[in-house]
Amino acid sequence: MSRGRRMCLIAAAVLCCAGPTRADQPLLADLTSHLIAITTGFTGTSVVLFGTIDGPGDVVAIVRGPEQDVVVRQKRHLAGIWINAHELAFAAVPSYYAVFSNRPLEQIASAGMRGLHQLGIGNLRLEPRDAGRPEGEISTFRNALIAEEQRQGLYAEQPNSVSFLGDRLFRANISFPANVPTGTYFVEVLLVRDGNVVTGQTTPLVVSEIGLNADLNEFALRSALLYGFAAVAGAALLGWLSSLPFRDA
Amino acid sequence: MGILDIYLPIAGVSLDIVGLFILGAAVGLLSGVFGVGGGFLLTPLLIFVGVPPAVAVASSANQLVGASVSGAMAHWRRGNLDFLMGALMLLGGFAGSGLGVWLFALLQREGHIEIVISLSYAALLTTLGALMLLESTRAWLRRRKPAASHRKLHQHSWLHGLPFKLRFRRSKLYISALLPILLGFAVGVLSAILGVGGGFVMVPAMIYLLGMPTAAVPGTSLFQIIFVSASVTILQAVANNTVDVVLALVLLVGGVVGAQIGTRWGARLRGEELRLLLALIVLAVAAKLVFDLTVRPDNLFSIAVEEP
């Protein structure tokens, strides 16, 4: 925390003194790191978002993971057991979605504005892949999807997480759980003044497996057949080796 | 979080490496004590600790390759292998595991794989546990009056009227080649869907249905298990991408250590009591599975990412 804070201050100081062309931009923001490396010991991590604004206003940061299709299934009680009976597929669902702001979103922008910029989990546009399902059913499954993502720590709303140091410098701690999906993320920082989005800036953030994990995963996906043979050979070798010390037992 | 978490690349979850090692050792211990493969306990236990069921099944199969090689070496050195019988069972086994992995992929796409795995295990373990409990109690009661009855090696039935008869030298049998092929096929399907070796089905079937001499059974069934679990591992890796080698190897190292300790303990305990104990363990796992299936879950909804 303290190291992050120090880095933030140094970086902000650099930004402030970066010359006249940069200083007159209304919003400047960056991350302490643009790469989250998932190594063998990975148990989640966080990066610090920091920046500066040119006057009073609210800062909202939206972090979005790569989009994917997600199937939501509902269990029913059938013949004594609980079994998946209904399903609904949603298209282009962000694999990670978190909103950070300096105060609750309702106080920062009107409902219309929040809907327009998809500010807040409730304003995410999650649409079924196939049209024609009744609206009540869609909203049940949509709520279930959001609840499950929140339970896994992949969707979050943190209303008081952007803190100001003085009037202009701000920082926010963006944390990711161990199960964070890999891919390219986008961190969108918005400056809101009197309920209107004045300006915005988008910064990429890459979440990627690194080292042995990445090599194994790539091996398993690219050359699955060879990976299968290698897995078998490795296990057989280990099994044979372990039988040697007990040969005469 | 645990003592020393390790990120499993294919499973995509972070688990305690010491816990996994102990889990492998515990199952290895059981397999050493009782002389069973232990796959039927390993897969459900992995699911209990949070490994996705599909990854648990495929990685158990991978672990099984190593565990059976380790066990088979001892039997093969003593020549306890009916190669012809093993090869025929393997022929069926390859076909069965192919069908099993295909079924597995289909069920996974439709979202029913977890329920099929749980239901199959619940049925299998309940039956197995009940049979073992019955048998071991009866044996324990019978121990005082050992009225040794003369039993024929095997009963002759319609099974022995099937065509394509072959002579099996090592087993001193003259039976249809279809029998070992069909047995191997059934075990192959089971192996692919449940991540088990199938020894607990195969061994009784080889003794009572095929009529093989007991000495040749473990070596021959391990022969079949090695190659079928290898085939399941490769097919799962290609078709479903669910083999986690890191998980399999950690379990294997634990399993090998556990099996060696277990073999020593097993020699000191009495047979019927051992089987009674195993029956109770198997029934406890079955009870947990049945409980999870029948009690209303906290969350009725689940989500799954669709692969593009």
Side-chain angles (χ1 to χ4, degrees):
Chain A
M1 206 55 139
S2 71
R3 206 183 74 176
R5 176 162 291 224
R6 196 159 59 236
M7 282 169 77
C8 161
L9 285 172
I10 293 168
V14 169
L15 283 177
C16 289
C17 311
T21 47
R22 286 203 145 192
D24 50 13
Q25 289 195 26
L27 169 73
L28 269 176
D30 203 359
L31 301 165
T32 48
S33 167
H34 290 270
L35 173 72
I36 291 178
I38 299 183
T39 56
T40 308
F42 185 73
T43 55
T45 189
S46 64
V47 296
V48 174
L49 169 77
F50 60 89
T52 171
I53 53 176
D54 68 347
D58 293 300
V59 171
V60 181
I62 303 157
V63 185
R64 273 171 175 270
E67 292 180 345
Q68 55 199 8
D69 285 10
V70 174
V71 187
V72 183
R73 300 193 168 98
Q74 184 183 22
K75 285 194 172 67
R76 282 284 166 88
H77 200 218
L78 284 176
I81 58 167
W82 291 90
I83 189 167
N84 286 332
H86 286 287
E87 65 173 47
L88 184 60
F90 287 87
V93 177
S95 55
Y96 180 93
Y97 178 87
V99 192
F100 303 84
S101 51
N102 56 315
R103 55 189 177 125
L105 293 171
E106 299 76 46
Q107 297 171 19
I108 293 177
S110 64
M113 194 56 83
R114 294 201 303 273
L116 184 67
H117 290 275
Q118 297 193 51
L119 294 182
I121 294 171
N123 293 310
L124 262 180
R125 267 172 228 130
L126 298 172
E127 298 301 334
R129 198 166 50 191
D130 310 309
R133 301 285 278 263
E135 191 49 49
E137 190 185 330
I138 295 172
S139 81
T140 306
F141 277 85
R142 184 186 288 131
N143 291 339
L145 170 60
I146 290 171
E148 184 59 23
E149 298 277 16
Q150 281 179 311
R151 200 186 60 74
Q152 294 183 15
L154 298 174
Y155 279 21
E157 237 175 73
Q158 299 191 15
N160 298 310
S161 55
V162 175
S163 53
F164 277 95
L165 303 105
D167 294 336
R168 303 195 167 191
L169 298 183
F170 66 85
R171 74 189 296 277
N173 210 33
I174 302 175
S175 57
F176 297 92
N179 58 341
V180 60
T182 55
T184 303
Y185 286 54
F186 289 99
V187 181
E188 189 185 7
V189 188
L190 301 175
L191 172 61
V192 188
R193 208 164 270 164
D194 305 324
N196 292 310
V197 175
V198 179
T199 184
Q201 185 191 334
T202 303
T203 314
L205 170 65
V206 175
V207 178
S208 172
E209 296 198 48
I210 296 291
L212 181 67
N213 273 343
D215 296 343
L216 278 177
N217 230 329
E218 175 136 343
F219 186 22
L221 286 174
R222 291 268 165 86
S223 30
L225 186 64
L226 206 60
Y227 173 84
F229 274 104
V232 167
L237 186 69
L238 198 59
W240 175 69
L241 283 178
S242 67
S243 79
L244 291 182
F246 307 97
R247 204 177 342 198
D248 303 318
Chain B
M1 291 286 137
I3 309 163
L4 187 58
D5 283 323
I6 182 171
Y7 184 87
L8 301 171
I10 308 293
V13 292
S14 207
L15 285 173
D16 183 13
I17 191 169
V18 181
L20 285 177
F21 181 84
I22 292 172
L23 184 64
V27 172
L29 191 78
L30 288 177
S31 77
V33 170
F34 300 112
V36 294
F40 64 94
L41 285 172
L42 184 60
T43 310
L45 288 175
L46 284 177
I47 297 172
F48 292 162
V49 300
V51 176
V55 178
V57 166
S59 307
S60 286
N62 191 190
Q63 185 267 358
L64 210 55
V65 177
S68 359
V69 166
S70 186
M73 296 314 285
H75 288 287
W76 294 355
R77 280 192 204 103
R78 290 181 215 127
N80 291 337
L81 167 67
D82 187 328
F83 184 76
L84 180 59
M85 189 73 85
L88 286 173
M89 285 172 57
L90 198 51
L91 204 66
F94 282 144
S97 59
L99 176 71
V101 171
W102 178 80
L103 259 177
F104 191 99
L106 181 73
L107 288 167
Q108 195 174 28
R109 262 201 313 282
E110 300 294 319
H112 294 305
I113 190 65
E114 303 190 9
I115 195 90
V116 169
I117 292 174
S118 297
L119 267 181
S120 312
Y121 264 113
L124 197 69
L125 296 184
T126 310
T127 315
L128 198 66
L131 284 175
M132 281 164 47
L133 190 66
L134 212 69
E135 188 272 340
S136 56
T137 320
R138 205 179 288 153
W140 186 73
L141 289 174
R142 211 195 296 127
R143 208 152 49 85
R144 282 164 215 166
K145 31 179 179 166
S149 63
H150 239 343
R151 191 178 63 88
K152 264 177 145 183
L153 190 60
H154 60 274
Q155 302 293 320
H156 271 264
S157 66
W158 61 273
L159 290 176
H160 295 84
L162 288 171
F164 309 113
K165 287 204 167 193
L166 277 180
R167 195 165 297 285
F168 296 89
R169 234 165 252 281
R170 177 65 186 79
S171 301
K172 301 187 184 75
L173 281 174
Y174 183 63
I175 55 169
S176 164
L178 290 177
L179 284 175
I181 292 176
L182 285 176
L183 177 60
F185 181 82
V187 173
V189 176
L190 210 63
S191 188
I193 295 182
L194 300 183
V196 296
F200 56 90
V201 176
M202 200 159 32
V203 169
M206 285 162 90
I207 296 174
Y208 298 113
L209 288 180
L210 304 187
M212 282 175 71
T214 318
V217 167
T220 309
S221 93
L222 280 171
F223 174 82
Q224 145 95 0
I225 289 171
I226 290 171
F227 288 100
V228 168
S229 55
S231 132
V232 170
T233 306
I234 292 164
L235 290 171
Q236 287 281 18
V238 172
N240 303 325
N241 257 312
T242 42
V243 178
D244 198 310
V245 283
V246 177
L247 177 60
L249 295 186
V250 171
L251 291 171
L252 185 55
V253 172
V256 164
V257 174
Q260 297 303 336
I261 302 169
T263 312
R264 249 147 259 191
W265 284 12
R268 271 188 252 138
L269 292 164
R270 248 207 313 268
E272 307 87 77
E273 287 164 7
L274 270 180
R275 292 204 296 276
L276 190 67
L277 194 63
L278 180 61
L280 293 176
I281 295 170
V282 167
L283 284 176
V285 176
K288 164 85 172 118
L289 282 168
V290 171
F291 180 82
D292 288 348
L293 279 170
T294 51
V295 170
R296 186 190 164 90
D298 293 336
N299 186 2
L300 292 181
F301 291 93
S302 62
I303 61 173
V305 174
E306 292 242 305
E307 300 301 333

